[in-house]
């Protein structure tokens, strides 16, 4: 590179360029923070909703409603996996160690692992990988915010 090189690229150090690329990489991976920030950082929290409100959204939005319904079904898989994982690992830990703290730690770890496996089973059996569940949830939260603001005004 000579004196006629690009001044903006030559002024940035190697580490600064790497840091920018690093930040861009992780900001793409954690886009969930951008999608939900308008609901999390809101001055007025959203009121709680019921199953009938979710059913009304599912009926009103044919695209995102089906996706939200499928995502809600996937939670059941995760819950069942969590119970099975927690009870089975805690039972095995208690059987072989007779240690209360070991069984309690196994119970917690088994619940987390079971939730993960249950969610993976749901991901494949319900084909969640084909759906944009985050967009459906954000769409529901937008719909719920507008519906509750209409009630208040």
């Amino acid at each position: 590179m000579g004196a006629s090189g690009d001044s903006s690229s030559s002024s940035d150090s190697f580490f600064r360029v790497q840091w920018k690329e690093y930040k861009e990489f992780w900001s793409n991976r954690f886009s969930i923070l951008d999608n939900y920030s308008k609901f999390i950082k809101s001055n007025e929290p959203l009121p709680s909703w019921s199953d009938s409100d979710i059913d009304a959204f599912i009926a009103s939005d044919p695209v995102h409603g089906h996706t939200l319904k499928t995502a809600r079904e996937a939670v059941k898989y995760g819950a069942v996996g969590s119970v099975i994982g927690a009870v089975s690992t805690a039972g095995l830990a208690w059987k072989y160690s007779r240690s209360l703290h070991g069984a309690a730690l196994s119970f917690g770890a088994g619940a987390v692992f079971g939730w993960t496996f249950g969610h993976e089973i749901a991901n494949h059996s319900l084909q969640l990988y084909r759906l944009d569940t985050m967009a459906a949830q954000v769409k529901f939260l937008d719909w719920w915010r507008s519906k509750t603001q209409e009630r208040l005004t």
Side-chain angles (χ1 to χ4, degrees), residues 3 11 13-14 16 31 34 41-43 66 76 80 96 103 109 112-113 118 124 128-129 134 136 138 140 144 147 150:
S11 66
S13 69
F14 172 77
R16 188 171 306 249
S31 64
D34 296 333
K41 297 178 181 177
S42 175
N43 292 336
H66 170 71
K76 295 174 187 173
V80 168
Y96 291 111
V112 171
F113 299 150
H124 292 291
L128 290 177
Y129 53 85
M134 186 185 311
V138 170
F140 169 74
W144 182 242
K147 186 174 179 182
E150 288 174 5

Side-chain angles (χ1 to χ4, degrees), residues 49-126:
W49 52 83
S50 65
D51 288 336
S52 62
D53 297 322
I54 294 170
D55 292 336
F57 173 75
I58 291 170
S60 70
D61 192 340
V63 175
H64 292 90
H66 170 71
T67 304
L68 185 68
K69 182 178 179 183
T70 306
R72 287 176 55 84
E73 290 174 11
V75 172
K76 295 174 187 173
Y77 283 74
V80 168
S82 182
V83 169
I84 291 171
V87 171
S88 63
T89 55
L92 285 172
W94 182 254
K95 178 180 177 182
Y96 291 111
S97 71
R98 297 283 183 207
S99 167
L100 185 59
H101 69 280
L105 288 172
S106 296
F107 185 84
V112 171
F113 299 150
W115 180 273
T116 304
F117 290 136
H119 193 65
E120 282 300 313
I121 291 169
N123 192 18
H124 292 291
S125 66
L126 299 175

Side-chain angles (χ1 to χ4, degrees), residues 1-12:
M1 296 215 151
S4 64
D6 189 4
S7 64
S8 65
S9 65
S10 64
S11 66
D12 288 342

